[in-house]
Amino acid sequence: MAAELRRLRADADLTREDVTRETAINPATLYRIETARGKPQQRTLIALLKLYGVEEPQFGELVALSQGADSQGWLRPYHSELPEEYTAYISFEAEAGNVRNYESLFVPGLLQTEDYARAVIRSVLPMASAREVEQRVQARMERQAVLDGDRPLQLWAIMDEAAIRRIVGGPEVMSTQLRHLVTAGEVPNVTIQVIPFAAGAHAGMPGSFVLMSFSGADDPEIIYIDSMAGDLFLEAEADIRRYGLLFDNLRAVALGPDDSLNLIKKAAAEMSSGEEVAE
């Protein structure tokens, strides 16, 4: 339902602000509906469908779908305690068919081990309680299910070499994480590339981003940016084109997949050697 309503709005060439102005639907309500965080009331759904110019039989089919849309997918009850932007991201990721992820400092969340994820979350959220940390770790581990199954997510992950060199959680945790990356990179639906330090300055240095594409040919792509200033979703055609070109540029600057895995193996070996010396 959420994906279809986003597609219909895009086809009608309307922004969320346009919809609010035309229907008086609260922006937060529309955001929750389009991110599968809330089920639309029937009068709200009908107002949206009329604004988007939807006709029968699709009109009746969507109303019927809404009446049976009481499930939140794989989202667990405790996810209601997570930030709304993060649960929105989880919903989008679960629907996506293809994800292109660039990370400048971290291993991508879908490729993190539990211990690495815990170390990262504790460090970047120093004010979070132990319970909040564990909730986020559990959510991150559950998210990785999208990489398995009959129709697994196609993930293309590019990292700066800083992401594999920074010792997160200590040498043992990091060496385990690097070995996990090598294993993940050998799976057909996962491609991993690393931009080496030797490449010098590059277009990805300002920050990380995720570009999500969906199975339906008409579903609009979405960009997700996580920053100190907050989470941001972009869906304008100009932004999609700009970030698509940016990802292509980073892909060209990075080492090829085989060389990238060799670099990760080398880093893992060096990390393990450091562990032995420390012992």
Side-chain angles (χ1 to χ4, degrees):
M1 171 65 72
E4 185 65 9
L5 288 175
R6 293 197 308 275
R7 186 189 66 79
L8 289 169
R9 177 171 61 78
D11 286 349
D13 197 23
L14 296 170
T15 65
R16 290 196 180 102
E17 290 74 17
D18 293 334
V19 173
T20 295
R21 185 171 56 252
E22 294 292 332
T23 64
I25 294 173
N26 185 281
T29 298
L30 182 61
Y31 180 83
R32 289 176 61 82
I33 290 171
E34 291 195 343
T35 57
R37 291 283 293 127
K39 172 184 172 183
Q41 296 183 358
Q42 185 163 321
R43 65 176 179 273
T44 300
L45 176 61
I46 290 174
L48 291 174
L49 297 180
K50 286 183 177 179
L51 177 63
Y52 301 157
V54 179
E55 301 178 350
E56 295 292 354
Q58 186 182 23
F59 191 104
E61 291 171 352
L62 289 173
V63 171
L65 177 62
S66 175
Q67 292 170 348
D70 293 321
S71 170
Q72 287 262 354
W74 70 271
L75 291 176
R76 307 291 188 257
Y78 74 84
H79 287 182
S80 62
E81 300 178 33
L82 297 173
E84 185 166 325
E85 292 83 359
Y86 185 43
T87 54
Y89 177 81
I90 291 173
S91 297
F92 284 133
E93 186 179 68
E95 294 175 15
N98 180 287
V99 165
R100 285 167 281 174
N101 185 186
Y102 166 69
E103 295 289 344
S104 56
L105 296 173
F106 303 108
V107 169
L110 288 176
L111 301 176
Q112 292 180 7
T113 64
E114 184 172 338
D115 287 339
Y116 178 95
R118 184 173 291 108
V120 166
I121 293 167
R122 281 176 178 165
S123 298
V124 300
L125 298 174
M127 303 303 292
S129 67
R131 180 171 179 270
E132 290 170 335
V133 169
E134 290 308 311
Q135 285 180 337
R136 284 181 175 257
V137 171
Q138 186 175 352
R140 192 160 297 183
M141 295 302 101
E142 290 171 355
R143 282 171 48 202
Q144 296 179 4
V146 299
L147 295 175
D148 301 317
D150 295 333
R151 299 180 64 184
L153 177 74
Q154 301 295 311
L155 173 64
W156 197 306
I158 301 177
M159 291 166 277
D160 190 280
E161 187 173 350
I164 67 170
R165 294 294 185 180
R166 184 175 298 277
I167 304 175
V168 174
E172 182 177 354
V173 169
M174 195 63 201
S175 61
T176 300
Q177 173 64 74
L178 294 176
R179 290 193 294 270
H180 177 70
L181 274 178
V182 172
T183 301
E186 295 171 347
V187 176
N189 58 300
V190 176
T191 300
I192 295 175
Q193 288 186 265
V194 177
I195 300 176
F197 288 144
H202 60 80
M205 292 177 71
S208 306
F209 63 91
V210 179
L211 179 53
M212 291 179 278
S213 304
F214 300 88
S215 300
D218 296 327
D219 288 344
E221 294 181 305
I222 294 175
I223 297 159
Y224 173 74
I225 300 172
D226 181 10
S227 71
M228 294 287 285
D231 298 354
L232 179 65
F233 290 98
L234 303 175
E235 57 184 338
E237 187 174 327
D239 290 325
I240 299 296
R241 183 169 55 253
R242 179 162 58 93
Y243 276 90
L245 291 172
L246 174 57
F247 193 86
D248 289 342
N249 177 276
L250 296 174
R251 187 168 56 183
V253 171
L255 297 173
D258 290 341
D259 288 339
S260 294
L261 292 185
N262 287 335
L263 178 59
I264 295 171
K265 290 176 184 177
K266 179 181 178 182
E270 293 172 356
M271 199 76 64
S272 297
S273 176
E275 289 177 45
E276 293 171 1
V277 171
E279 292 172 359

Coordinates of all heavy atoms in Angstrom, one line a residue, residues 17-18 20 23 33 40 52 64 71 108-109 130 147 162 169 188 197 236 254:
E17 N 4.3 18.2 0.0 CA 3.7 19.5 0.3 C 2.5 19.9 -0.5 O 1.6 20.5 0.0 CB 4.8 20.6 0.1 CG 6.0 20.5 1.1 CD 6.9 19.3 0.9 OE1 6.9 18.8 -0.2 OE2 7.7 19.0 1.8
D18 N 2.6 19.5 -1.8 CA 1.4 19.7 -2.7 C 0.2 19.0 -2.1 O -1.0 19.5 -2.1 CB 1.7 19.2 -4.1 CG 2.8 20.0 -4.8 OD1 2.9 21.2 -4.5 OD2 3.4 19.4 -5.7
T20 N -0.5 18.0 0.9 CA -1.0 18.6 2.2 C -1.8 19.9 1.8 O -2.9 20.1 2.4 CB 0.2 19.0 3.1 OG1 0.9 17.8 3.5 CG2 -0.3 19.8 4.3
T23 N -5.2 18.7 0.2 CA -6.2 17.8 1.0 C -6.2 18.2 2.5 O -7.1 17.7 3.1 CB -5.7 16.4 0.9 OG1 -4.4 16.2 1.5 CG2 -5.7 15.9 -0.6
I33 N 2.0 7.2 6.4 CA 1.3 6.3 5.5 C 2.3 5.9 4.4 O 2.3 4.7 4.0 CB 0.1 7.1 4.8 CG1 -1.0 7.3 5.9 CG2 -0.4 6.3 3.6 CD1 -2.1 8.3 5.4
P40 N -3.8 4.2 6.5 CA -4.6 5.4 6.3 C -6.1 5.1 6.7 O -6.6 4.0 6.4 CB -4.5 5.7 4.8 CG -4.1 4.3 4.2 CD -3.3 3.6 5.3
Y52 N -5.1 11.9 -6.8 CA -4.2 11.3 -7.7 C -4.9 10.8 -9.0 O -4.2 10.3 -9.9 CB -3.5 10.0 -7.1 CG -2.7 10.4 -5.8 CD1 -2.4 9.4 -4.9 CD2 -2.2 11.6 -5.6 CE1 -1.7 9.6 -3.7 CE2 -1.5 11.9 -4.4 CZ -1.3 10.9 -3.5 OH -0.5 11.2 -2.4
A64 N -9.9 -1.9 -0.8 CA -10.0 -3.3 -0.2 C -8.6 -3.7 0.4 O -8.6 -4.3 1.5 CB -10.4 -4.3 -1.3
S71 N -1.0 -5.5 8.9 CA 0.3 -6.0 9.2 C 1.3 -4.9 9.0 O 1.2 -4.1 8.1 CB 0.7 -7.2 8.4 OG 2.0 -7.5 8.5
P108 N 28.9 -0.9 5.8 CA 27.5 -0.8 5.7 C 26.7 -1.7 6.7 O 27.1 -2.8 7.0 CB 27.3 -1.2 4.2 CG 28.6 -0.9 3.5 CD 29.6 -1.2 4.6
G109 N 25.6 -1.1 7.1 CA 24.8 -1.8 8.2 C 24.4 -3.3 7.8 O 24.4 -4.2 8.6
A130 N 21.6 1.1 27.6 CA 22.0 -0.2 27.1 C 20.8 -0.9 26.4 O 21.0 -1.6 25.4 CB 22.4 -1.1 28.3
L147 N 19.0 -9.9 2.5 CA 20.1 -10.5 1.6 C 19.9 -11.9 1.3 O 20.7 -12.5 0.5 CB 21.4 -10.2 2.2 CG 21.8 -8.7 2.4 CD1 23.2 -8.6 3.1 CD2 21.9 -8.0 1.0
A162 N 39.1 3.9 4.8 CA 39.0 4.2 6.3 C 38.1 3.3 7.0 O 38.3 3.0 8.2 CB 38.6 5.7 6.4
G169 N 35.8 -1.5 18.0 CA 35.5 -2.6 19.0 C 36.7 -3.4 19.4 O 36.6 -4.4 20.1
P188 N 26.6 -14.0 -4.6 CA 26.2 -13.4 -6.0 C 25.5 -12.1 -5.9 O 25.7 -11.2 -6.8 CB 25.4 -14.5 -6.6 CG 25.8 -15.8 -5.9 CD 26.1 -15.4 -4.5
F197 N 43.2 4.5 -0.1 CA 43.8 5.8 0.3 C 44.6 6.4 -0.9 O 44.6 7.6 -1.1 CB 44.7 5.6 1.5 CG 44.0 5.3 2.8 CD1 44.5 4.5 3.8 CD2 42.7 5.9 3.1 CE1 43.8 4.2 5.0 CE2 42.1 5.7 4.3 CZ 42.6 4.8 5.2
A236 N 13.4 13.7 -5.4 CA 13.3 14.5 -6.6 C 14.1 13.9 -7.7 O 15.2 13.3 -7.5 CB 13.7 15.9 -6.3
A254 N 36.9 3.4 -7.3 CA 37.2 2.3 -6.4 C 38.0 1.2 -7.1 O 37.9 1.0 -8.3 CB 35.9 1.8 -5.8

